[in-house]
């Protein structure tokens, strides 16, 4: 039986392009990722990555978004992926229980700086990388894992997309994926650390590593091609069945809050209940959140000490939304961390694992919220938070999110507009020069 990685490589090599629906889905995730990155560029992690990257990787031909700096493809991937992942606003996929686009989009765009590529080819590469990454993640039993962190598996997709764009031979694509998987980030502290940090899920490291793996494989490095053949760690059927029949990128979810997706259903429910009852946040006496048990493994700090810690606190994010509106989570700002009203309300939120949601994750991330105020209690269940394929954000809503996030970065309005227009034109068959020019026009 051929090893699974070689079969995945053969699938990549068989693709010339993908259908219109898949191209449009990939285009949506490009726009969303760039918008998220525009806000992420201003974060401490984003600034640190920008400052350090040239010393680590050196000059090259690949663009750092929203600047005139050019680095090697791996260096550009690292910085831009840091931007995309830092605020927990990046898209995700239910089967993967993680965030493919924050790795795949920066990796593909970094290589576009070194090769003349049409918009359709760029979008096809993203669809391929997204597919491989999601399959690698979904082939595991995520409910038995200590962590589902994206850095553990997104490198497979970055390597596959890079190998396909570079037109590497099939054995080299296979070895690139194997090298990326073997050298993936460890994410050792996830599951026990309670200290906020900017490493988070290790997405930038794994994405840059996927690019490096492709170049190494092209030069003759070899990886463990049987890496994904260990049953029952990787389910071969989930990994390989139906390749090309459907595309994972078409089933991405998008976020409107800069926090862990596991909190979104609870936030949606709490805000809807508040609106229904026209409740001032200060009148709320208590909030009970019944949720799937995996959500209780988050730190869920009532008084988070950093933006990253706040992103993993369901009580805190609910309190911010109820006191300051949903837009206060697009993105979450550091100034709310010391807000005594937010902390007081967050302390009145109680989380409970509901037996009704046993086995719900990762297919869904539901929550039922009950709010007590004025001696009355009201409850609401949300199974699919806004942005899920079953409760999607429209193209107009994604453009509105993009506009909101790009307005927070010191860039001229015309630059943001030109980026949006260039993304819209990716399916016209032209080369991607206009998108790179728009992304890197910092004047």
């Amino acid at each position: 039986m051929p090893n699974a990685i070689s079969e995945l490589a053969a699938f990549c090599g068989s693709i010339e392009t993908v259908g219109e629906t898949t191209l449009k889905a990939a285009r949506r995730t490009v726009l969303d990722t760039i918008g998220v990155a525009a806000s992420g560029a201003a974060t401490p992690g984003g600034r640190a990555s920008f400052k350090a990257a040239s010393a680590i990787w050196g000059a090259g031909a690949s663009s750092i978004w929203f600047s005139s700096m050019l680095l090697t493809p791996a260096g550009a991937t690292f910085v831009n992926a840091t931007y995309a992942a830092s605020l927990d606003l990046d898209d995700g996929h239910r089967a993967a229980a993680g965030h493919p686009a924050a790795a795949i989009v920066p990796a593909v765009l970094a290589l576009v700086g070194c090769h003349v590529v049409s918009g359709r080819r760029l979008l096809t590469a993203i669809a391929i990388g997204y597919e491989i990454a999601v399959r690698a993640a979904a082939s595991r039993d995520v409910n038995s894992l200590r962590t589902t962190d994206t850095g553990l598996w997104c490198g497979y997709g970055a390597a596959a997309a890079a190998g396909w764009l570079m037109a590497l031979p099939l054995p080299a694509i296979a070895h690139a994926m194997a090298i990326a998987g073997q050298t993936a980030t460890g994410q050792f502290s996830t599951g026990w650390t309670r200290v906020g940090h900017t490493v988070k899920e290790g997405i930038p490291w794994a994405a840059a590593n996927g690019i490096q793996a492709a170049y190494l494989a092209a030069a003759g490095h070899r990886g463990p091609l049987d890496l994904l053949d260990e049953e029952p760690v990787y389910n071969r059927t989930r990994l390989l069945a139906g390749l090309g029949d459907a595309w994972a990128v078409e089933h991405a979810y998008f976020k409107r809050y800069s926090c862990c997706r596991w909190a979104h259903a609870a936030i949606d429910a709490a805000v809807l209940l508040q609106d229904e009852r026209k409740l001032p946040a200060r009148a709320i006496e208590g909030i009970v959140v019944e949720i799937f048990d995996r959500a209780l493994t988050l730190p869920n700090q009532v008084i988070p000490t950093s933006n990253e810690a706040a992103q993993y606190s369901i009580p805190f994010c609910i309190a911010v939304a109820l006191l300051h509106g949903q837009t206060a989570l697009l993105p979450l700002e550091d100034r709310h961390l010391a807000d005594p009203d937010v902390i007081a309300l967050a302390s009145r939120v109680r989380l409970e694992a509901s037996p009704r949601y046993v086995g719900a994750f990762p297919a869904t991330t539901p929550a039922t919220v009950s709010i007590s105020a004025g001696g009355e209690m009201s409850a609401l269940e949300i199974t699919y938070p806004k942005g899920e394929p079953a409760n999607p954000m429209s193209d107009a809503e994604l453009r509105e999110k993009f506009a909101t996030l790009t307005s927070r970065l010191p860039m001229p309005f015309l630059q943001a507009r030109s980026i949006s227009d260039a993304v819209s034109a990716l399916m016209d068959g032209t080369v991607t020069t206009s998108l790179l020019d728009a992304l890197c026009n910092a004047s």
Side-chain angles (χ1 to χ4, degrees):
M1 182 181 297
N3 61 68
I5 282 182
S6 293
E7 291 204 31
L8 291 173
F11 165 71
C12 294
S14 72
I15 301 299
E16 293 185 8
T17 188
V18 293
E20 296 293 302
T21 300
T22 308
L23 291 171
K24 289 177 181 177
R27 186 175 61 182
R28 278 165 59 89
T29 206
V30 170
L31 182 69
D32 188 70
T33 304
I34 293 172
V36 168
S39 249
T43 63
R47 292 194 299 268
S49 292
F50 180 86
K51 184 177 180 180
S54 60
I56 299 170
W57 280 286
S62 298
S63 303
I64 305 302
W65 302 344
F66 324 118
S67 80
S68 57
M69 182 184 288
L70 297 173
L71 296 179
T72 64
T77 296
F78 183 89
V79 177
N80 295 331
T82 303
Y83 293 171
S86 61
L87 286 167
D88 220 331
L89 263 169
D90 42 326
D91 86 347
H93 196 282
R94 289 266 58 85
H99 309 283
I104 305 305
V105 173
V108 169
L109 283 176
L111 284 172
V112 166
C114 306
H115 304 270
V116 177
V117 175
S118 71
R120 285 175 173 261
R121 187 165 174 81
L122 178 150
L123 295 173
T124 299
I126 288 170
I128 289 171
Y130 208 104
E131 186 72 20
I132 298 301
V134 169
R135 283 178 174 268
S139 68
R140 310 162 304 161
D141 178 6
V142 298
N143 283 303
S144 68
L145 298 174
R146 175 181 57 84
T147 175
T148 62
D149 284 357
T150 306
L152 296 170
W153 47 265
C154 65
Y156 290 105
W164 185 84
L165 267 180
M166 295 163 67
L168 297 185
L170 297 187
I173 295 176
H175 281 292
M177 285 191 281
I179 293 167
Q182 173 66 12
T183 56
T185 57
Q187 298 295 292
F188 292 115
S189 70
T190 300
W192 61 263
T193 182
R194 295 296 182 267
V195 180
H197 56 87
T198 54
V199 176
K200 297 178 70 179
E201 295 193 32
I203 291 173
W205 284 263
N209 193 44
I211 295 295
Q212 293 177 141
Y215 281 101
L216 288 166
H221 261 284
R222 294 178 299 161
L225 294 180
D226 60 351
L227 185 61
L228 298 177
D229 293 335
E230 185 183 359
E231 293 272 8
V233 177
Y234 302 102
N235 182 296
R236 187 178 179 91
T237 299
R238 288 201 298 268
L239 186 64
L240 300 175
L243 281 166
D245 293 345
W247 289 87
V249 73
E250 295 180 25
H251 303 285
Y253 66 73
F254 297 95
K255 291 183 170 185
R256 55 177 178 171
Y257 311 132
S258 61
C259 60
C260 180
R261 186 60 169 179
W262 301 354
H264 285 224
I267 297 168
D268 282 356
V271 170
L272 287 169
L273 284 172
Q274 181 187 40
D275 291 346
E276 181 183 290
R277 294 182 58 182
K278 297 180 172 53
L279 278 176
R282 291 175 180 81
I284 295 174
E285 297 157 0
I287 300 173
V288 176
V289 179
E290 300 171 73
I291 202 163
F292 56 101
D293 55 2
R294 194 65 179 263
L296 271 62
T297 66
L298 296 175
N300 287 315
Q301 296 169 343
V302 171
I303 311 177
T305 56
S306 68
N307 196 294
E308 291 77 24
Q311 293 165 22
Y312 298 107
S313 174
I314 298 172
F316 188 85
C317 291
I318 288 174
V320 170
L322 291 176
L323 278 160
H324 300 290
Q326 293 160 291
T327 56
L329 294 171
L330 191 64
L332 175 64
E333 296 182 358
D334 288 354
R335 63 188 176 91
H336 293 304
L337 298 177
D339 186 329
D341 292 331
V342 171
I343 293 169
L345 183 55
S347 69
R348 300 198 292 275
V349 177
R350 186 173 82 249
L351 304 180
E352 296 180 354
S354 171
R356 294 185 296 114
Y357 299 144
V358 171
F361 178 80
T364 58
T365 53
T368 297
V369 173
S370 301
I371 293 182
S372 300
E376 296 183 10
M377 177 179 287
S378 51
L380 180 64
E381 180 180 44
I382 296 290
T383 303
Y384 300 104
K386 185 68 174 180
E388 293 288 327
N391 185 17
M393 292 177 69
S394 66
D395 288 347
E397 287 172 322
L398 281 176
R399 287 193 297 269
E400 183 179 354
K401 176 185 174 182
F402 175 86
T404 298
L405 293 173
T406 53
S407 70
R408 306 179 75 90
L409 188 72
M411 68 164 69
F413 168 77
L414 290 177
Q415 183 185 358
R417 178 63 181 270
S418 64
I419 293 171
S420 179
D421 289 346
V423 172
S424 296
L426 285 175
M427 291 177 61
D428 293 347
T430 57
V431 297
T432 54
T433 306
S434 60
L435 176 57
L436 294 180
D437 287 347
L439 278 170
C440 304
N441 177 12
S443 60

